[in-house]
Amino acid sequence: MLPTLLLLACLPAYGRDLPLDTIKLPAGFRITIYADAVPGARSMALAPDGTLFVGTRGDTVYALPNRSGGPRADAVLTLLKGLDTPNGVAFRDDALYVAEVGRILRYDRIVERLRNPPKPVVVSDAFPRDAHHGWKFIRFGPDGRLYVPVAAPCNICEPDPARYAAIFRLKPDGSALEQYARGVRNTVGFDWHPQIGELWFTDNGRDWLGNDAPPDELNRAPRAGLHFGYPYCHGKSIADSEYGGKRACAEFTPPMRELGAHVAALGMRFYSGTLFPESWRGRVFIAEHGSWNRIPPAGYRLTTARIEGGRVTAYEVFAEGWLKGLAAWGRPADVQVMPDGALLVSDDKAGAIYRISYGK
């Protein structure tokens, strides 16, 4: 029965007539297509001129220019091809940084050369090449360093703690590589608190501990050197069935919020715009990509976490409707706040970027 359920949950979305009218949002919000024909759209990064760069778990990176700043991209350009799972993209100082499985590439003056990109500069090739959880999300922090996670190369194992299950950071030229956080199974999204500058990140819990355990996590790392529990402890207090006897959960930094089990929490951003009403500003918006082995499926939605005084005081659904029964026609993967305050959402299943706005 399980293979059939998994097949139903993973059926592709055919055509461009995406049923956006089935997406439920709070009153006053609306969702439209920002761009379609973006196969496998995952992580997003925005250039100052409005060009949106979109990574994938295939071999392609897209560029979506928007010279007018309007509600829809001007075009979808296939920018780069033939890369090794270029999920992660980041932009800084007129250059696009792209994370492959084992290395970070830089494409200089890329906005000027969207139709004729330059050859890449290899910033660093110091990362493992394991395919399992090998795709990466990357972003520049307020300290000017590029943050790069290296996930566990397994569902559950005890990998080399100096190399895996950690978040690293390095200078833009690739030097000064160092570990920032450890005990992180697989983060595919992080952001910094807009006022305090502290790092917050999602983390995907392990599989095969049941339908309702362990939870995915929303974590805070205000300083370097913290350990978040993997593989010994999951969530706030769930000892791992294989490794939990080695170390106690009390030894580790607990999550700020336990999210849904197996929801696959990926991209997240603090909402820093002013288009949304005041009560939504400063919240964390999370793309929950959706489960692959839970019965019934879970996730396939956007959630939001209210942060007050450094604590999560609420966690609730913001947008849902990509999942209908056992079948999903879309899977949110990342979110991006735009200069006009709209929130973009990438969907690697439907191959689209959505725009969520408020008001007319």
Side-chain angles (χ1 to χ4, degrees):
M1 184 65 174
L2 178 58
T4 301
L5 295 178
L6 295 181
L7 176 62
L8 289 173
C10 295
L11 288 174
Y14 292 102
R16 294 295 90 205
D17 295 327
L18 300 176
L20 294 188
D21 58 329
T22 66
I23 302 299
K24 298 178 181 179
L25 290 158
F29 289 90
R30 63 191 299 258
I31 185 169
T32 57
I33 296 290
Y34 183 77
D36 53 18
V38 194
R42 295 270 294 192
S43 298
M44 298 182 285
L46 188 67
D49 78 328
T51 300
L52 184 74
F53 296 98
V54 183
T56 71
R57 280 183 57 188
D59 71 346
T60 305
V61 175
Y62 299 98
L64 281 60
N66 187 341
R67 300 187 185 282
S68 67
R72 191 172 175 110
D74 299 336
V76 177
L77 306 177
T78 298
L79 180 69
L80 307 170
K81 289 283 289 184
L83 299 179
D84 182 11
T85 322
N87 183 84
V89 288
F91 193 89
R92 182 181 176 86
D93 294 336
D94 295 326
L96 176 67
Y97 291 72
V98 177
E100 292 187 294
V101 170
R103 62 181 185 169
I104 307 297
L105 306 177
R106 188 185 76 233
Y107 295 84
D108 295 325
R109 301 176 64 183
I110 190 67
V111 172
E112 304 171 19
R113 303 188 61 180
L114 295 181
R115 298 183 184 276
N116 182 29
K119 291 184 178 180
V121 175
V122 178
V123 174
S124 175
D125 59 1
F127 300 99
R129 297 183 180 275
D130 304 76
H132 194 118
H133 293 152
W135 56 93
K136 293 173 173 54
F137 176 93
I138 57 173
R139 286 201 75 196
F140 280 96
D143 57 2
R145 304 290 181 95
L146 182 65
Y147 285 67
V148 182
V150 176
C154 56
N155 172 39
I156 187 72
C157 58
E158 198 173 23
D160 180 354
R163 297 267 291 164
Y164 297 95
I167 299 174
F168 296 84
R169 62 181 176 182
L170 65 162
K171 290 183 178 180
D173 64 2
S175 64
L177 177 66
E178 63 178 0
Q179 190 179 82
Y180 183 81
R182 62 197 309 180
V184 180
R185 179 179 179 270
N186 183 27
T187 178
V188 197
F190 42 82
D191 196 9
W192 286 262
H193 192 288
Q195 282 79 46
I196 305 172
E198 294 177 342
L199 175 66
W200 290 63
F201 63 93
T202 58
D203 195 14
N204 286 191
R206 67 158 290 180
D207 295 309
W208 311 118
L209 281 187
N211 259 351
D212 300 313
D216 282 5
E217 300 174 1
L218 179 60
N219 291 285
R220 181 180 68 171
R223 62 185 183 278
L226 299 179
H227 194 303
F228 291 86
Y230 181 87
Y232 312 103
C233 181
H234 311 291
K236 294 181 179 180
S237 59
I238 300 174
D240 186 71
S241 58
E242 298 178 51
Y243 298 99
K246 293 187 175 184
R247 299 182 65 176
C249 287
E251 297 181 46
F252 306 115
T253 301
M256 299 305 296
R257 178 74 190 210
E258 294 182 338
L259 309 178
H262 310 300
V263 296
L266 301 186
M268 58 146 286
R269 297 288 194 285
F270 283 92
Y271 182 75
S272 56
T274 58
L275 179 63
F276 291 6
E278 182 69 34
S279 61
W280 297 95
R281 298 175 193 174
R283 291 195 187 199
V284 171
F285 284 82
I286 303 170
E288 296 189 353
H289 193 234
S291 60
W292 66 272
N293 63 348
R294 187 180 188 276
I295 307 172
Y300 302 92
R301 63 189 184 180
L302 296 184
T303 56
T304 180
R306 184 185 299 118
I307 312 296
E308 296 175 320
R311 298 184 303 109
V312 179
T313 58
Y315 164 59
E316 56 195 356
V317 176
F318 176 74
E320 61 183 348
W322 287 278
L323 176 67
K324 294 297 181 184
L326 298 178
W329 61 265
R331 303 187 76 180
D334 196 15
V335 289
Q336 172 70 49
V337 182
M338 296 297 279
D340 65 358
L343 185 72
L344 298 188
V345 182
S346 63
D347 181 338
D348 63 350
K349 182 177 178 62
I353 309 289
Y354 311 113
R355 179 179 184 268
I356 296 178
S357 59
Y358 183 82
K360 296 181 179 180

